[in-house]
Amino acid sequence: MKPSVFHSRPWRILCLAALLASLGALVLWAQTDMTGYWAFRVKDGGVNFFQFQQTGDAVASVAPAGRGGRGGTLTGTLKDGKLHLAATFSMPAQPPAAGAGRGAASGQPPQTVYDGVVDNANRIAVTMQATGRDPLKGTFERVTREEAYPTRIPPPDLRDVPDNGLVRTPPMGWNSWNKFQDVFDDATVRGMADAMVSSGMAKAGYTYIVVDEGWTSGRDASGKIVGNGKFPNMKALADYVHSKGLKIGIYSSPGPQSCSGKMGGGYQGSFGHEEEDAITFAEWGCDYLKYDWCSAGGVYSNTTEDNRGAYQKMGEALLKAGRPIVYSLCQYGSHDVWKWGAKTGGNLWRTTGDIADRWDSMERIGFANIDIAPYNRPGHWNDPDMLEVGNGGMAADEYRTHMSLWCLLSAPLMAGNDLRTMTEETKSILMNPDAIAIDQDRDAKPVQRLSVAGKSEVLVRPLGGNAFAVGLFNRGDKPAEIGFRWDALKFDTGLYGFRRLQARDLWKHEAISVAGDDYAATVPAHGVVLLRVSIAAGRGGF
């Protein structure tokens, strides 16, 4: 047998190629400097913009921080082609409440970490890991300053936008955010529309299916806002919701981006495209727009005039678009929005920050809205945020308090749970016809505090038909006896004795005795007794 012959030339070629590749990588790594503007993108997810400064191997974001994010400064290294950045947020997570259920915060400061490898001088593939969330694959891509931080545009001269004549009673429906944030898709929304009908919610008055943050990927070559891979055809989705006898809502922002969810960052906003987007929403068949402030703080000043002007832009654009679209302002109650929201064409306006599925959050937000209740009027409503009923973070008594308080406040009733998996108890709370009748009362008279004693409060709201809704609320941690005098209810006609009153417990669905000078009940911890009191028919004359 002949001995094998070693051919050295091919090996030299392979070694030279490997050496050149290594040298190329070294040159690439040496040329990659992150100083400048970058976007972190997740496919079918959000985008967050940063300005970075690199000194040696050290990399840090500099002010202004990420346009779509909610704070935190990124710091780390870019070394040998490997990127490592971390952001520890200054606001620690809320400690979990007792029985808070799934997703309760740990009490530790949340952290977001990005680890990746340089693809080229303008692109770095990374994995993002945020506290308590699944890792996300994304990319850092170099962008221009204008893409990252658009030039400010002065707000328009202020003027009153005409009333659009919609939602003469508070709107009712479902919104995707509380349950899903931005992790949902077209099929989810269709399923909610199906469930709204099959569960009986539509018959109870729930009408709007609102697609919150997470549906858009940006704009096409012509500048038209478009859906992402999870929402490939918004017109077809709107047609499906309409086929169920329901109406559909959509979400955007007066800023360049929406806020930020679980999918990497914010989504496309309407800044500089207000009229174009309003026309697109109308062409798709949208019936409702939630318009969230989010990144608008980067392009408008934090003044009442700029807030009002930014929302006025879209209010006017919606009217020009030629389709009736309910206009929901969301800027968290800053600058006393209840005093000017209607002037922008707004039908409802958020009065607080986001609600959480916890007693302390719901209680704080709900009772804080009592003092501004007089600003409600037909077509224009204070919005203390969506309902958390059925999401599992509160007990049934607490959810009944939630529903009762929102109804007394004339609040929009936008369910925020998974309608496809509701328990009978959840259905009984969300679809209580007597509670809903209070919310939808066309007289829209404001709720008032009748009495406060420690953690016990009695709220009263006049209703049409010469009746009153009375809520006995126990904000304490133990059962409490709470009561009121019948003569504290000032009916429009004189009474010849308390025997002419009739009252009904709206959660027990039973009549209660009207006797003596007053009424009292033992109310469970964090619970409520909700009554409707009226003049009994045919029991003596005036």
Side-chain angles (χ1 to χ4, degrees), residues 394-475:
M394 287 184 267
D397 281 335
E398 293 171 332
Y399 282 140
R400 279 185 279 270
T401 293
H402 187 6
M403 185 71 173
S404 300
L405 185 52
W406 262 235
C407 289
L408 285 166
L409 289 168
S410 299
L413 298 181
M414 305 301 290
N417 59 311
D418 190 335
L419 306 183
R420 301 166 299 184
T421 58
M422 288 188 290
T423 64
E424 291 304 312
E425 186 169 60
T426 294
K427 292 178 184 178
S428 73
I429 296 171
L430 288 175
M431 291 187 274
N432 183 320
D434 296 319
I436 291 172
I438 294 171
D439 182 76
Q440 297 291 297
D441 187 81
R442 290 187 172 274
D443 283 9
K445 293 179 180 177
V447 65
Q448 303 171 37
R449 282 186 170 92
L450 185 61
S451 66
V452 179
K455 293 288 187 178
S456 299
E457 295 196 23
V458 179
L459 305 184
V460 175
R461 178 179 160 191
L463 303 175
N466 206 18
F468 283 89
V470 183
L472 282 57
F473 290 90
N474 180 6
R475 300 174 68 178

Side-chain angles (χ1 to χ4, degrees), residues 270-300:
S270 293
F271 178 69
H273 295 265
E274 291 84 1
E275 289 195 9
E276 184 178 10
D277 288 356
I279 291 170
T280 298
F281 298 154
E283 289 174 346
W284 287 342
C286 295
D287 308 291
Y288 184 113
L289 171 65
K290 178 181 174 184
Y291 208 47
D292 201 345
W293 182 253
C294 297
S295 66
V299 290
Y300 294 109

Side-chain angles (χ1 to χ4, degrees), residues 222-258:
S222 69
K224 184 175 181 178
I225 196 166
V226 293
N228 56 34
K230 298 182 296 183
F231 292 91
N233 191 328
M234 295 301 292
K235 176 67 167 65
L237 178 58
D239 289 345
Y240 184 84
V241 172
H242 290 154
S243 75
K244 299 294 179 178
L246 304 172
K247 296 182 179 180
I248 191 167
I250 203 163
Y251 172 97
S252 190
S253 170
Q257 283 180 282
S258 62

Side-chain angles (χ1 to χ4, degrees), residues 318-508:
L318 291 174
L319 283 183
K320 290 179 182 178
R323 179 179 178 83
I325 297 178
V326 174
Y327 189 24
S328 171
L329 281 56
C330 181
Q331 47 81 275
Y332 333 118
S334 63
H335 302 286
D336 295 347
V337 61
W338 43 87
K339 296 180 180 178
W340 51 263
K343 295 179 180 180
T344 70
N347 297 111
L348 56 153
W349 41 81
R350 276 277 296 281
T351 57
T352 70
D354 286 3
I355 194 172
D357 189 21
R358 302 190 313 269
W359 165 258
D360 63 313
S361 173
M362 181 276 292
E363 176 200 30
R364 172 179 50 80
I365 287 173
F367 285 95
N369 271 258
I370 295 170
D371 291 339
I372 60 173
Y375 289 94
N376 282 321
R377 64 183 187 276
H380 308 286
W381 309 102
N382 292 324
D383 178 9
D385 208 358
M386 288 89 73
L387 295 166
E388 291 282 8
V389 177
N391 280 331
M394 287 184 267
D397 281 335
E398 293 171 332
Y399 282 140
R400 279 185 279 270
T401 293
H402 187 6
M403 185 71 173
S404 300
L405 185 52
W406 262 235
C407 289
L408 285 166
L409 289 168
S410 299
L413 298 181
M414 305 301 290
N417 59 311
D418 190 335
L419 306 183
R420 301 166 299 184
T421 58
M422 288 188 290
T423 64
E424 291 304 312
E425 186 169 60
T426 294
K427 292 178 184 178
S428 73
I429 296 171
L430 288 175
M431 291 187 274
N432 183 320
D434 296 319
I436 291 172
I438 294 171
D439 182 76
Q440 297 291 297
D441 187 81
R442 290 187 172 274
D443 283 9
K445 293 179 180 177
V447 65
Q448 303 171 37
R449 282 186 170 92
L450 185 61
S451 66
V452 179
K455 293 288 187 178
S456 299
E457 295 196 23
V458 179
L459 305 184
V460 175
R461 178 179 160 191
L463 303 175
N466 206 18
F468 283 89
V470 183
L472 282 57
F473 290 90
N474 180 6
R475 300 174 68 178
D477 297 329
K478 297 179 180 180
E481 185 172 281
I482 305 174
F484 67 98
R485 289 184 58 86
W486 296 113
D487 61 6
L489 307 180
K490 305 302 182 183
F491 288 89
D492 292 338
T493 55
L495 298 178
Y496 290 159
F498 300 131
R499 64 184 180 85
R500 289 183 48 81
L501 294 182
Q502 60 183 3
R504 186 170 179 81
D505 186 314
L506 303 186
W507 288 113
K508 291 184 177 180

Side-chain angles (χ1 to χ4, degrees), residues 33-35 53-60 75-79 85:
D33 187 322
M34 289 195 73
T35 298
Q53 180 68 47
Q54 182 170 345
T55 305
D57 294 335
V59 178
T75 57
T77 59
L78 177 61
K79 185 176 182 180
L85 296 171

Side-chain angles (χ1 to χ4, degrees), residues 52 118 147 149 154 167-168 205 213 233 245 294 324 392 402 429 448:
F52 287 115
V118 173
E147 288 178 273
Y149 306 111
V167 289
R168 299 297 95 174
E213 183 171 28
N233 191 328
C294 297
H402 187 6
I429 296 171
Q448 303 171 37

Side-chain angles (χ1 to χ4, degrees), residues 155-162 275 305 308-309 311-313 315-317 320 340-345:
D157 293 335
L158 298 183
R159 50 188 170 269
D160 290 357
V161 178
E275 289 195 9
E305 291 73 20
R308 180 176 164 184
Y311 281 95
Q312 176 186 305
K313 278 187 185 180
E316 292 177 328
K320 290 179 182 178
W340 51 263
K343 295 179 180 180
T344 70

